[in-house]
């Protein structure tokens, strides 16, 4: 146990984590530090394209096998099933009504691509390889959780959901999904040759851009925590920490059963433990307008995201190493 927390502590002292901490502390201290919205949007586009392209190139180099299909299938199962677990925990730990609990649960079945990118950087820094197709698993886990949340509401006491005919299309054509999957296929088609051609753009500057992006995410998370202080109970805060720990264990079990490498297991644990704050909130505004964004955004972005970034990722890595002997 001491080794696990030593590893977690050592990972806290990194440019990526410290950049996020700077933004968080600056926001809590009410600094006027800001990142222009256009710049933040550009950085998110860059990161999604880079991670997708590199993942596709890795698949081109290694080929498609049964493990890839099993990993994508596991991702779909997790995204459909984790909201059901989250919903049950929320009903036990909090006094949330059905609609708010379902909306929060959807966030914990989907994924945070930024947490995924941060985890890949941690693995690269420790020279731990992972399956490139985990990017495809991440893309597959974006949408199913939303459908599970809508089912949870629909089976309740007549609480309506706004199931417009274009909702599924909007979910699947969400910009982050389109860019991630599109870049993945470009990388898969062009392979290592294509990666070599643009490596100075998507490899060398990657971590520097990630640091600036996480500085902005820290600012956003800090403002959210500052604005809703006192409006969310201790049970909900506890859920936002307990749920990723439980989910990561489920991801660990599936990763070991599938036969993923150490890096692949860690990434599946991170995907299982993360919570969406981009795709799912956009869908909830359409499908469950009654749900309170102040609750689901604060828990996913203000609590779970910083927990995973500072303590969760190194903890999941240490646990996976102890289980696999890696």
């Amino acid at each position: 146990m001491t080794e696990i927390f030593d590893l977690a502590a050592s990972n806290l002292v990194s440019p990526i984590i410290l950049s996020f901490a700077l933004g968080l502390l600056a926001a809590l201290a009410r600094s006027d530090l800001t990142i222009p919205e256009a710049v933040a949007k550009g950085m998110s586009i860059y990161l999604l394209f880079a991670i997708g392209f590199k993942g596709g190139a890795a698949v081109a180099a290694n080929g498609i096998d049964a493990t890839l299909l099993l990993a994508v299938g596991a991702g779909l199962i997790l995204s459909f099933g984790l909201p059901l677990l989250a919903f049950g925990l929320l009903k036990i730990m909090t006094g949330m009504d059905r609609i708010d609990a379902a909306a929060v649960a959807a966030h914990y079945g989907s994924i945070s691509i930024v947490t995924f990118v941060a985890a890949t950087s941690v693995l690269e820094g420790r020279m731990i390889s992972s399956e490139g197709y985990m990017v495809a698993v991440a893309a597959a886990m974006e949408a199913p959780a939303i459908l599970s949340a809508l089912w949870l509401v629909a089976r309740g006491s007549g609480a309506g959901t706004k199931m417009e005919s274009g909702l599924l299309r909007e979910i699947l054509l969400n910009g982050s999904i389109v860019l991630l999957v599109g870049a993945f296929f470009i990388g898969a088609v062009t392979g290592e040759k294509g990666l070599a051609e643009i490596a100075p753009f998507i490899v060398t500057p990657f971590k520097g851009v990630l640091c600036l992006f996480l500085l902005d995410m820290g600012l956003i998370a800090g403002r959210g925590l500052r604005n809703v202080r006192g409006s969310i109970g201790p049970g909900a805060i506890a859920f936002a920490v307990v749920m990723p720990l439980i989910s990561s264990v489920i991801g660990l079990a599936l990763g070991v059963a599938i036969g993923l490498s150490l890096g692949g297991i860690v990434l599946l644990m991170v995907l299982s433990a993360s919570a969406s704050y981009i795709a799912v909130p956009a869908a909830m505004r359409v499908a469950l307008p009654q749900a309170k964004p102040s609750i689901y955004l604060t828990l996913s972005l203000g609590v779970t995201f910083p927990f995973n970034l500072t303590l969760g990722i190194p903890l999941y890595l240490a646990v996976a190493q102890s289980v696999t002997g890696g």
Side-chain angles (χ1 to χ4, degrees), residues 10-294:
S10 67
N11 275 277
L12 289 175
V13 187
S14 72
I16 295 170
I17 304 302
L18 292 177
S19 295
F20 176 82
L22 173 61
L24 186 68
L25 293 174
L28 292 175
R30 300 182 183 273
S31 168
D32 62 356
L33 175 63
T34 60
I35 302 292
E37 184 177 350
V39 175
K41 181 70 173 178
M43 289 190 294
S44 67
I45 291 173
Y46 169 85
L47 292 172
L48 286 168
F49 182 85
I51 194 67
F53 193 102
K54 288 188 287 186
V59 168
N62 298 322
I64 298 175
D65 55 23
T67 308
L68 184 156
L69 300 177
L70 288 172
V72 173
L76 291 172
I77 292 171
L78 286 166
S79 190
F80 274 116
L82 288 177
L84 306 182
L85 172 61
F87 184 81
L89 285 176
L90 283 165
K91 300 304 286 185
I92 294 171
M93 300 176 67
T94 74
M96 268 182 220
D97 62 39
R98 189 176 197 88
I99 291 178
D100 282 326
V104 171
H107 291 68
Y108 287 82
S110 188
I111 60 103
S112 160
I113 193 63
V114 178
T115 308
F116 176 82
V117 171
T120 61
S121 294
V122 170
L123 292 176
E124 289 172 2
R126 292 185 166 272
M127 305 299 290
I128 299 174
S129 62
S130 62
E131 291 81 354
Y133 53 71
M134 292 306 295
V135 177
V137 178
M141 291 180 68
E142 285 269 21
I146 299 170
L147 303 179
S148 291
L150 298 181
W151 177 80
L152 284 168
V153 174
R155 68 184 289 270
S157 56
T161 62
K162 189 178 179 182
M163 279 294 287
E164 295 182 355
S165 59
L167 176 60
L168 183 59
R169 180 178 182 276
E170 182 175 338
I171 293 169
L172 296 178
L173 292 181
N174 175 274
S176 62
I177 297 177
V178 171
L179 181 57
L180 185 66
V181 174
F184 178 86
F185 279 109
I186 292 173
V189 170
T190 59
E192 293 183 322
K193 180 180 178 182
L195 179 61
E197 289 178 2
I198 62 172
F201 174 68
I202 68 168
V203 176
T204 306
F206 183 84
K207 288 188 177 180
V209 175
L210 181 59
C211 285
L212 288 176
F213 185 77
L214 286 175
L215 171 66
D216 185 53
M217 296 307 300
L219 290 168
I220 294 172
R223 293 184 193 117
L225 286 172
R226 193 180 68 206
N227 292 335
V228 300
R229 190 174 297 167
S231 64
I232 294 180
I237 300 296
F239 163 83
V241 174
V242 171
M243 181 64 195
L245 294 175
I246 297 174
S247 300
S248 69
V249 173
I250 298 173
L252 170 66
L254 284 174
V256 171
I258 291 170
L260 294 176
S261 67
L262 170 61
I265 291 172
V266 172
L267 291 181
L268 188 59
M269 292 175 73
V270 168
L271 289 172
S272 302
S274 63
S276 173
Y277 50 82
I278 299 175
V280 175
M284 290 299 102
R285 285 198 296 269
V286 175
L288 294 177
Q290 313 97 311
K292 301 178 185 65
S294 60

